[in-house]
Amino acid sequence: MLLIVAPDWSPGRTTAVEIMDTAFLDRLDARLAELDDAGRRRSLRPLRPVDGAMAVERDGRRLVNFSSNDYLGLACHPALIDRAAAWAAEWGVGATASRLVCGSFELHAVLEAKLAAFKGTEAALILNSGFQANEAVLSALLLPEVAGTAPLVFADRLAHASMHEGLKAAGVRQIRFRHNDLQHLADLLEKHAGEPGPRFIVTETVFSMDGDRADLPALCDLAERFGCFLYVDEAHATGVLGPQGRGLAADPAVKGRIDLVMGTFGKALGGFGAYVACSARLRDWLVNRCAGFIYSTALPPPVLGAIDAALDLVPTLEAERARLTAHGGRVRAALADYGIDTGASTTQIVPAVLGDERAALAAAARLEEAGLLAVAIRPPTVPAGGSRLRLALSAAHTDAGIDRLLEALAP
Ligand SMILES: Cc1ncc(COP(=O)(O)O)c(C=O)c1O
């Protein structure tokens, strides 16, 4: 029993706050114990990147890393490290304030112009992380003062948690369509066609846990037919897919037809942070009304330096992208031979879907024994029954590394 002694406490006095706090802590313990029982309790295990981040050292052991999102091997690339160090030396290690106070450096503006050119949009805005971007940007777009009282938001069921959090924060009702099922989306758009309010479609271009792609041309057709705002998350496509790695939204078939594209710098671009690419008018709205942008310290110069170097490199990395595609094809073919379900993956993310939590945890432990890191992904990150090893491939993986992975997964 926890007793919080207030300054004016006297014997015999028990306030509601004291009782609630005790019950609260008891409930925390009970919920954690339930997670334990269900094989869903998470914990943090320290590790250290080695070998240009393609391996990690954990508990004195070296493991080849098949769980990081460093798809092009840029996290330890000398060009990124050098520019991060140079910009830190020249500009300092912190932005010191939010962009609207005194943290909007020339570097931010230069980088945003470069990003807009990279994505082929009128404007771009840098945000501090992908999670923050989705949550804060969706909230700002759906503020009643612009969205009206009841916007209709059609979201892919498997859209990233950060988008669902943004929609929750905005207090809007989500109309969820079955994952990548555009007939279902069309039916729902039709069903709600007579209702007032602006329409938004929210989805990812490459799904983070499944490695499959959205059909962007068909989504653009639907958005245009039903007058919807189309919002897409390119976290796992940026750097990897589309012309010169500019993302699937930069494909000529859809370029200019998507209202807002967000993406991250923490995956294929090797660094940290996020962006939205959109019209100048939308950017202006976000600068004025996006709380996650307004009330947060800006990304610091060394991080911006790494992003800048990555944006210079990415268009030149065609050979790396071809290698990544080949790794994906090889792993999917081998898993199919082993009878392991890889869903609809067509990218560098290959799920080995194993079913329940214990099966995924056991497989991850077996791989760790073999010197490989492939983390088990369990509900609520994936639907119940869909626990898996999420194999994230990188152009920096060697063929021998892929051989080891496939040997370890063989039945
Ligand atoms: C699809 C998707 N969007 C957004 C994010 C969040 O990005 P960040 O890691 O930069 O917060 C992730 C992270 O894994 C993601 O998979």
Side-chain angles (χ1 to χ4, degrees):
M1 160 88 179
L2 175 83
L3 184 62
I4 296 172
V5 180
D8 61 346
W9 182 84
S10 57
R13 179 172 168 262
T14 307
T15 67
V17 172
E18 288 155 11
I19 292 164
M20 188 196 78
D21 277 356
T22 309
F24 173 73
L25 294 178
D26 289 345
R27 280 197 298 274
L28 283 187
D29 288 342
R31 295 294 87 78
L32 285 171
E34 280 168 17
L35 289 174
D36 231 350
D37 289 346
R40 292 188 185 181
R41 184 152 176 178
R42 302 165 191 241
S43 62
L44 296 169
R45 296 179 65 193
L47 48 78
R48 175 190 172 84
V50 289
D51 269 5
M54 273 308 100
V56 296
E57 239 171 51
R58 174 183 274 172
D59 305 329
R61 293 191 59 222
R62 187 179 178 288
L63 306 170
V64 183
N65 192 352
F66 285 101
S67 282
S68 102
N69 300 313
D70 188 12
Y71 305 127
L72 296 171
L74 295 186
C76 289
H77 193 288
L80 275 70
I81 294 171
D82 287 351
R83 205 164 306 170
W87 287 25
E90 190 176 345
W91 293 83
V93 294
T96 78
S98 104
R99 299 269 301 273
L100 285 166
V101 179
C102 62
S104 198
F105 295 177
E106 275 167 50
L107 302 174
H108 291 103
V110 167
L111 208 48
E112 283 171 349
K114 198 165 178 171
L115 260 169
F118 178 74
K119 296 297 290 182
T121 54
E122 190 183 9
L125 184 68
I126 294 175
L127 290 114
N128 289 1
S129 79
F131 193 99
Q132 180 228 31
N134 276 330
E135 188 177 37
V137 169
L138 281 168
S139 299
L141 294 176
L142 294 165
L143 283 170
E145 64 203 83
V146 281
T149 44
L152 301 175
V153 182
F154 299 84
D156 188 290
R157 265 192 53 206
L158 295 191
H160 192 258
S162 49
M163 288 185 258
H164 293 304
E165 288 298 322
L167 298 175
K168 227 194 290 174
V172 297
R173 184 168 67 96
Q174 285 190 50
I175 303 164
R176 294 196 185 189
F177 57 94
R178 285 191 292 271
H179 173 53
N180 263 346
D181 183 342
L182 298 194
Q183 185 54 54
H184 189 215
L185 172 60
D187 292 345
L188 290 170
L189 286 163
E190 197 75 66
K191 181 173 158 197
H192 293 274
E195 294 173 28
R199 279 120 176 87
F200 291 78
I201 298 174
V202 174
T203 192
E204 295 177 28
T205 62
V206 170
F207 283 81
S208 58
M209 292 298 137
D210 294 79
D212 54 349
R213 310 173 195 212
D215 181 346
L216 280 188
L219 274 165
C220 288
D221 290 347
L222 279 178
E224 285 157 10
R225 187 168 133 215
F226 288 93
C228 303
F229 184 109
L230 183 54
Y231 181 111
V232 303
D233 176 329
E234 292 245 74
H236 297 278
T238 307
V240 175
L241 295 169
Q244 296 181 299
R246 296 169 196 272
L248 293 174
D251 193 276
V254 294
K255 200 169 155 197
R257 300 173 69 195
I258 299 172
D259 298 283
L260 186 144
V261 180
M262 74 73 68
T264 60
F265 303 121
K267 304 186 196 296
L269 271 64
F272 180 70
Y275 66 86
V276 295
C278 56
S279 66
R281 180 206 262 163
L282 274 177
R283 179 185 185 277
D284 202 20
W285 175 252
L286 296 175
V287 168
N288 281 278
R289 295 295 277 129
C290 178
F293 173 82
I294 297 168
Y295 301 110
S296 187
T297 301
L299 276 193
V303 171
L304 298 176
I307 296 169
D308 190 59
L311 287 175
D312 287 344
L313 269 177
V314 159
T316 71
L317 301 179
E318 291 303 347
E320 284 75 2
R321 281 186 281 276
R323 197 173 154 66
L324 192 52
T325 304
H327 282 342
R330 220 186 127 201
V331 170
R332 272 187 296 278
L335 295 192
D337 277 353
Y338 301 165
I340 299 175
D341 180 15
T342 58
S345 160
T346 58
T347 65
Q348 76 282 4
I349 301 166
V350 183
V353 182
L354 299 169
D356 83 0
E357 289 87 338
R358 309 273 172 205
L361 286 169
R366 252 193 342 269
L367 261 63
E368 189 162 336
E369 277 301 299
L372 308 166
L373 179 67
V375 175
I377 307 286
R378 295 161 282 159
T381 307
V382 291
S387 291
R388 66 195 61 188
L389 300 179
R390 173 186 179 269
L391 303 171
L393 307 174
S394 171
H397 283 132
T398 60
D399 291 339
I402 302 282
D403 289 344
R404 276 182 70 190
L405 173 71
L406 298 182
E407 269 163 40
L409 285 167

